[in-house]
Amino acid sequence: MAQSTTDIHHPAAPGTGARLMALLGDFSSALEEWPGALWQLDEAALGEVVGGMLRITARAENVAALATADALTRGTVANSTATGAPAWVARQATGVEPTVVRRVGRVGMDCADPRNQVVADALADGSASVPVADVALREVPRILPQLPDADRDGLLGRYLSLSDHGSRTLRQLSTRILGEYAPERLVRDEERQQDCESVFWADLPSGLTRFVAELSSGHAAVVKHALRAWSAPEPVESEERDTRTPAKRRADALVQLVDTAAGVLDGTSSRPVGEFGGTAKILVTLDYNTLYEGLRNAGRLDDLIENGSQETRSAPTYLPGIGRTTDGEHLDAGTLRRMACDADLIPAVLGTDSEPLDVGRAKRLFTGGLRTAIIHRDQHCTFPGCDRPPDWCDAHHVRPWWAGGQTTLTNAALLCARHHTIVHRDLLTAQVTPTGVTWDLTPGLMPTRPGQDPAA
């Protein structure tokens, strides 16, 4: 029988369990009072409530998974009438979101296995969350065969150490590892996904029609980027806001894309031409040699040379074997090469510090290659805590144009409409390097006249 988590971790003093059960009951009762008391709190306290409650939720999910593991090792689950750990958890947590219930059950089962002690330890000390542990326990068995010299516990620990970055980052790490050591597997996965693709629709009683599309990673990246590019809230000159929901904006974008494509195919409208960032083009980043190898005999090398400097042909320096779109999707090099042959793809060749090289010339506005470079560097709105995508953002002059600021990469920062307004309202400034933007949130530091120091 596997060890109980109590046997493995330092046992609490006698009577602690009863005391904590009483506190759990008191806390559960107190939660019923919170909604009615929120109006009594000041703004700072409201923020503390939000942060504290979310941290408690994450930590409580860890304890629930460890308690499930203990229930398994003691035989509690086996002696019940539940069909397994997830079903047992569901009985204890009536009304809880089924996704959370299944996740706690799965991780609890894994923590009951002595081979996953590193996961149980991370949950116990709070250095990892249940969602990340769930992903790590699924991803490591996929990756381990490609790394024969890797230690299983060490690899699990590496995945769990990224807990603060979320489960998506863990899946991207897997893609990067496979792209480096087993690129053929990524290609096979993409091809298998394409074979299983489907689109169907059904008429609903309301008169609406529901469309369902199941697409491969590569095809989904193109569709999602196009919809995001055309579904940003509409800018307006007045104080009125775009009141459409995000889902409605995406629906409008889909219809607009189909209308535009149908017009081009029918010959009733010309092919639209525009700068990247305001269109449905997709920007991908991968090292030059990875792209060059696949394009050597594809008849696209002349196009690539026109868009990239001859002097940047060097050894791979960035994500060898895969590439990343501006939406954060990691795709295998084979898929990206096919996109380069068949689609309107903009290559960005990188230097040794992943800074964009030879991507355009300075203009009065941030357009064309220069905007492409800004998007590659910033990836989303640069204001602290904001992750709105590039197509929802303006390129902001950190030193304003009227104050002598130049239209260059090192004087630019992506800002969504909301934070662009705040930056100008509070006269904020930032430090810009070739690899990122750091904002100083001290009001009044933005230069307002030529030659003025940011701190003046």
Side-chain angles (χ1 to χ4, degrees):
M1 178 183 294
Q3 287 180 291
S4 165
T5 55
T6 305
D7 298 331
I8 296 165
H9 302 290
H10 296 297
T16 301
R19 177 176 62 84
L20 292 177
M21 285 301 298
L23 288 174
L24 178 60
D26 291 342
F27 181 72
S28 299
S29 298
L31 285 176
E32 302 297 328
E33 300 181 47
W34 269 105
L38 292 175
W39 68 273
Q40 302 175 15
L41 306 179
D42 61 24
E43 294 179 1
L46 287 174
E48 290 182 26
V49 170
V50 171
M53 289 296 179
L54 290 177
R55 283 189 292 271
I56 289 171
T57 300
R59 200 73 173 91
E61 192 171 345
N62 286 15
V63 175
L66 294 174
T68 302
D70 248 351
L72 285 162
T73 57
R74 295 185 191 186
T76 304
V77 175
N79 293 332
S80 72
T81 58
T83 55
W88 183 82
V89 173
R91 292 183 180 182
Q92 320 308 315
T94 305
V96 175
E97 169 66 34
T99 302
V100 176
V101 168
R102 290 192 294 269
R103 183 169 65 213
V104 168
R106 285 194 304 269
V107 174
M109 290 174 61
D110 288 322
C111 287
D113 186 337
R115 294 176 300 172
N116 296 320
Q117 187 56 49
V118 65
V119 179
D121 290 341
L123 294 178
D125 62 26
S127 61
S129 64
V130 169
V132 166
D134 190 30
V135 174
L137 288 162
R138 307 284 85 77
E139 293 295 314
V140 166
R142 291 180 57 224
I143 299 304
L144 204 57
Q146 314 304 331
L147 303 172
D149 296 329
D151 173 69
R152 185 177 183 276
D153 282 356
L155 191 57
L156 272 172
R158 175 61 177 164
Y159 273 78
L160 294 172
S161 70
L162 299 174
S163 189
D164 289 344
H165 300 281
S167 55
R168 181 180 180 182
T169 298
L170 270 66
R171 287 188 285 268
Q172 291 175 347
L173 176 60
S174 297
T175 302
R176 294 176 65 172
I177 292 173
L178 289 175
E180 178 72 31
Y181 297 102
E184 69 286 347
R185 176 168 176 174
L186 288 181
V187 174
R188 288 198 305 269
D189 288 348
E190 173 68 19
E191 291 174 346
R192 186 176 68 252
Q193 289 175 5
Q194 289 184 14
D195 289 340
C196 298
E197 288 179 325
S198 65
V199 174
F200 57 90
W201 56 85
D203 296 328
L204 302 178
S206 63
L208 295 172
T209 299
R210 175 176 292 145
F211 283 81
V212 178
E214 296 182 354
L215 304 176
S216 71
S217 299
H219 290 165
V222 175
V223 173
K224 286 191 291 185
H225 178 81
L227 292 178
R228 284 171 177 152
W230 284 24
S231 63
E234 291 180 353
V236 292
E237 300 298 331
S238 66
E239 295 298 320
E240 296 180 10
R241 298 176 57 191
D242 186 343
T243 58
R244 296 175 300 163
T245 65
K248 171 58 175 170
R249 295 199 305 268
R250 288 191 293 269
D252 290 345
L254 177 61
V255 173
Q256 188 176 2
L257 283 168
V258 173
D259 277 346
T260 301
V264 171
L265 292 174
D266 291 343
T268 56
S269 62
S270 59
R271 178 183 175 88
V273 178
E275 300 287 0
F276 177 79
T279 73
K281 294 179 182 177
I282 185 167
L283 171 70
V284 298
T285 303
L286 67 163
D287 68 90
Y288 183 88
N289 285 1
T290 298
L291 180 62
Y292 183 90
E293 178 185 347
L295 299 182
R296 184 190 306 272
N297 300 316
R300 287 298 300 273
L301 287 181
D302 291 340
D303 293 340
L304 185 62
I305 291 171
E306 290 175 7
N307 289 284
S309 170
Q310 295 269 10
E311 297 177 355
T312 59
R313 294 184 181 182
S314 57
T317 57
Y318 186 73
L319 302 186
I322 65 170
R324 192 197 72 236
T325 73
T326 50
D327 296 318
E329 306 285 348
H330 286 75
L331 304 176
D332 68 274
T335 296
L336 295 176
R337 291 181 193 124
R338 287 193 295 274
M339 292 168 68
C341 292
D342 301 331
D344 194 1
L345 176 147
I346 304 173
V349 182
L350 305 180
T352 55
D353 292 324
S354 297
E355 76 276 12
L357 301 176
D358 195 23
V359 289
R361 61 186 181 84
K363 297 180 181 180
R364 167 64 180 83
L365 300 175
F366 294 109
T367 58
L370 183 55
R371 181 174 171 86
T372 300
I374 300 166
I375 289 172
H376 164 74
R377 183 195 64 197
D378 294 348
Q379 302 182 35
H380 50 71
C381 175
T382 58
F383 200 86
C386 186
D387 61 356
R388 288 189 170 177
D391 298 300
W392 293 27
C393 295
D394 301 320
H396 164 74
H397 286 80
V398 174
R399 173 181 283 274
W401 178 260
W402 63 82
Q406 297 182 339
T407 306
T408 61
L409 182 61
T410 54
N411 191 44
L414 286 184
L415 287 171
C416 68
R418 166 68 172 162
H419 290 122
H420 204 175
T421 299
I422 289 174
V423 163
H424 282 282
R425 181 195 70 191
D426 296 344
L427 298 178
L428 304 179
T429 191
Q431 181 180 3
V432 184
T433 69
T435 56
V437 178
T438 303
W439 283 94
D440 184 337
L441 301 184
T442 306
L445 297 184
M446 179 190 290
T448 57
R449 61 182 184 273
Q452 179 183 356
D453 232 10

